[in-house]
Amino acid sequence: MRRPCVCVKPFHFALLFVVVPMVTTVRAQSTASSETVEIDIDAVSRPFPHFWEKMFGSGRAILSLRESYRNDLRETKRITGFEYVRFHAIFHDEVGMYDEDKDGQPIFNFSYVDQVYDGLLENHVRPFIELSFMPKKLSSDPNALHPFWYKQNVAPPKDWNKWEHLIENFTRHLVDRYGVDEVAQSYFEVWNEPNIDFWVGNPKEETYYELYDHTARAIKRVSARLRVGGPATAQAAWVDRFLAHCKEKNIPVDFASTHVYGNDKAEDVFGTHENIPRTQMVCRAVKKVHEQIAASPYPDTPLIWSEFNADYSNDRKVTDSAFMGPWMADTIRQCDGLTQMMSYWAFSDVFEEQGVVKMPFYGGFGLLAERGIPKAVFNDFALLHQLGDARVEVNSESALVTRRKDGSLAIAAWNLFLPEETGAPKTLTLHFKNLGGTHSARITIVDGDHGSPLATWDALGRPTLPPLPQIEALRRAAAFPSPRHEDLKNGSLTLTLQPHALALIEIGK
């Protein structure tokens, strides 16, 4: 990151998520609207891998030793089945891996490293291994500290041979402990966002490439099977030049990674002066990098979007609110087919980049707020997890129609507009072609009044340190909404979605 219990059980019905599209310009949406979505049950479908829920980001490495972190990890695993977690600072001095003796010779201690990775694997989640930051005794500038609360060092190493020695020893230790078959299923990502203030090498890009080259070669000396990549940049930067560099210098690269947030500026991401709304920024950036890779010397390089969210500035009306459900659904719709994995930042508000959490809802990035209180977005991910693995194309920007293996449908429906807009209810009619017989739909909706604790927190006076009874009240307010059943009439289903609503509609085959 750069700046700053609910159970959904399988249900053998089609799942329908419908999304209400957002306009490209910011305007008030004060009058109710309506839309009809035509769905041909016999239309050709294509694979729909759940790329948005394979990986999540989280607070720095040492936090993973806390029980609160692991509880949130287990809850997120339960509703999404995610496979990888990415965090910063496995080389931070607080992890205690690197030291030097009086003669300047490296000393390695893998005690906390083992506890960090053992804890993930015991919970059936693999590490997406971000290699950061610089141990102070290896740093070329021990005073090059990032402004985050935990003050990580962001300078290049004082000795490239010692850096390679660190990387090789770290990697070999993982292989010795877990076996090469296991470690080969993880990913090694070199650094974090070196194009901004997480790297003070000068010049930034050339010195990052030097860091990458030494790191990739050291990893491959342990085993050619291990996967390494970068440049892990902010603002979708450098990927085309990074791959060209790897080709020119014959440097190993197994994947490309980069980041963008919904409120990034077009000047930083595209070099233009457009006003790109947060509902479109992420997938436009993904498309840009996807096309850069296709035109590169390595056109088949997997693209892993290792950080994204709608906002990086801790805005409560964005990341803590029901807005995130329709935003996520529409992001999935737009980004489908452009990237192998996208890592939502982050799964938990056990998180200290800006310091110790001061209140439950402050615009944190997590699916779960402090004390494991689910936000609306937690329930949204639980809904989206129920989508099928085949996508049926529809001529609408408001719908994701999917088919499950048993032939039932899964559709997502949403009412999306920008947080600063007024918003209005949306009436959505789903008309099904070639759906014979009599059918009933099961409908589950998350919005500001269902599956979100924010209204209850407001009613309690926005307590900064809620006592235990209030915490329990917030958890009850955040409970997964109960579904309702409704019969289709003449092959159609009509529902009204409140502002920022995300609906899951399941229809049996």
Side-chain angles (χ1 to χ4, degrees):
M1 175 50 208
R2 352 181 217 195
R3 343 277 195 223
C5 172
V6 176
C7 183
V8 180
K9 296 181 180 179
F11 185 72
H12 295 293
F13 279 76
L15 178 62
L16 177 61
F17 267 120
V18 182
V19 181
V20 176
M22 187 53 229
V23 293
T24 55
T25 56
V26 177
R27 60 178 176 83
Q29 183 182 339
S30 56
T31 56
S33 60
S34 62
E35 180 182 358
T36 298
V37 179
E38 299 288 343
I39 301 170
D40 185 352
I41 300 303
D42 294 335
V44 175
S45 63
R46 58 181 173 81
F48 184 59
H50 287 207
F51 61 93
W52 68 91
E53 61 174 358
K54 290 184 178 180
M55 179 164 70
F56 285 87
S58 77
R60 70 191 192 280
I62 202 72
L63 296 179
S64 70
L65 301 184
R66 295 186 190 171
E67 189 62 18
S68 55
Y69 177 105
R70 292 182 177 181
N71 285 338
D72 287 357
L73 181 141
R74 286 187 282 266
E75 283 294 283
T76 304
K77 175 74 175 179
R78 182 170 59 80
I79 65 157
T80 65
F82 78 109
E83 301 171 26
Y84 296 95
V85 65
R86 174 183 180 267
F87 44 69
H88 307 319
I90 193 66
F91 296 157
H92 195 289
D93 289 327
E94 65 188 353
V95 180
M97 190 196 78
Y98 185 87
D99 200 356
E100 293 182 358
D101 65 19
K102 60 182 179 61
D103 298 319
Q105 295 304 305
I107 300 171
F108 299 103
N109 179 354
F110 295 106
S111 176
Y112 279 180
V113 170
D114 291 347
Q115 291 180 50
V116 166
Y117 292 144
D118 287 356
L120 299 182
L121 294 171
E122 286 167 4
N123 285 289
H124 310 290
V125 176
R126 292 189 170 97
F128 187 89
I129 304 169
E130 179 199 301
L131 300 169
S132 67
F133 291 97
M134 195 61 60
K136 287 182 183 176
K137 288 192 177 179
L138 185 52
S139 176
S140 59
D141 181 1
N143 296 316
L145 303 181
H146 190 271
F148 278 171
W149 187 71
Y150 61 94
K151 298 296 184 289
Q152 68 272 35
N153 189 280
V154 292
K158 64 184 179 183
D159 184 321
W160 287 108
N161 289 329
K162 285 185 177 180
W163 172 258
E164 284 202 31
H165 188 57
L166 179 155
I167 295 298
E168 188 168 347
N169 275 267
F170 170 78
T171 306
R172 196 172 301 281
H173 175 80
L174 297 183
V175 169
D176 289 345
R177 185 172 184 83
Y178 304 113
V180 70
D181 289 343
E182 173 60 45
V183 181
Q185 296 183 73
S186 290
Y187 297 81
F188 290 83
E189 183 184 42
V190 181
W191 214 254
N192 175 70
E193 299 188 345
N195 60 315
I196 57 173
D197 60 352
F198 289 92
W199 180 247
V200 298
N202 188 23
K204 279 183 178 289
E205 191 166 354
E206 288 80 355
T207 55
Y208 172 76
Y209 292 162
E210 186 172 12
L211 177 79
Y212 182 86
D213 297 354
H214 285 282
T215 305
R217 286 169 172 157
I219 289 170
K220 294 294 187 177
R221 281 199 295 270
V222 177
S223 173
R225 294 175 57 191
L226 303 182
R227 297 183 285 200
V228 61
T233 40
Q235 300 160 346
W238 294 6
V239 172
D240 50 353
R241 297 196 299 270
F242 167 73
L243 293 176
H245 164 81
C246 291
K247 177 66 173 180
E248 179 187 357
K249 302 297 183 182
N250 194 28
I251 305 298
V253 59
D254 298 300
F255 64 92
S257 64
T258 189
H259 311 155
V260 91
Y261 284 73
N263 60 331
D264 270 318
K265 294 180 174 57
E267 288 86 351
D268 296 323
V269 180
F270 300 102
T272 68
H273 299 289
E274 301 169 81
N275 180 20
I276 302 175
R278 71 174 78 238
T279 52
Q280 298 178 16
M281 173 58 76
V282 169
C283 292
R284 279 192 55 176
V286 171
K287 186 173 186 291
K288 178 191 97 167
V289 178
H290 176 85
E291 291 173 350
Q292 287 179 339
I293 292 173
S296 79
Y298 300 111
D300 297 323
T301 302
L303 172 58
I304 297 177
W305 212 266
S306 56
E307 273 189 39
F308 81 103
N309 199 310
D311 188 271
Y312 60 70
S313 59
N314 297 133
D315 188 340
R316 184 185 298 127
K317 70 178 180 292
V318 179
T319 48
D320 286 342
S321 78
F323 165 79
M324 293 304 299
W327 183 85
M328 268 303 307
D330 199 44
T331 296
I332 292 167
R333 179 188 67 83
Q334 294 178 65
C335 289
D336 180 28
L338 300 178
T339 176
Q340 180 172 304
M341 282 196 296
M342 295 184 73
S343 179
Y344 184 86
W345 189 265
F347 75 79
S348 172
D349 278 354
V350 179
F351 194 89
E352 294 175 349
E353 289 181 357
Q354 291 81 35
V356 176
V357 173
K358 299 177 179 64
M359 64 177 65
F361 304 105
Y362 64 97
F365 303 107
L367 305 184
L368 294 124
E370 185 186 25
R371 303 299 296 268
I373 301 168
K375 302 179 188 179
V377 68
F378 178 87
N379 292 322
D380 293 322
F381 267 91
L383 287 183
L384 292 164
H385 178 67
Q386 300 303 308
L387 288 169
D389 58 6
R391 181 175 174 182
V392 178
E393 292 296 336
V394 293
N395 186 24
S396 172
E397 294 182 353
S398 302
L400 266 176
V401 181
T402 71
R403 184 180 290 119
R404 293 171 174 162
K405 287 184 172 63
D406 65 358
S408 60
L409 292 178
I411 305 166
W414 57 95
N415 186 359
L416 174 63
F417 55 90
L418 294 171
E420 58 269 27
E421 292 182 316
T422 303
K426 171 103 173 180
T427 299
L428 192 68
T429 298
L430 308 174
H431 181 256
F432 297 90
K433 181 181 178 182
N434 298 318
L435 183 65
T438 302
H439 292 270
S440 176
R442 173 168 140 159
I443 304 165
T444 309
I445 297 176
V446 175
D447 58 24
D449 297 320
H450 305 88
S452 173
L454 272 187
T456 297
W457 188 61
D458 287 340
L460 292 171
R462 297 188 175 185
T464 56
L465 293 173
L468 292 177
Q470 290 186 346
I471 290 172
E472 290 307 313
L474 290 167
R475 288 176 178 157
R476 288 194 298 272
F480 192 77
S482 298
R484 74 173 193 264
H485 294 81
E486 187 170 330
D487 292 336
L488 272 64
K489 298 177 181 178
N490 299 318
S492 295
L493 174 71
T494 298
L495 65 160
T496 298
L497 299 175
Q498 295 303 314
H500 291 165
L502 173 65
L504 165 66
I505 303 146
E506 304 167 273
I507 301 177
K509 60 182 180 178

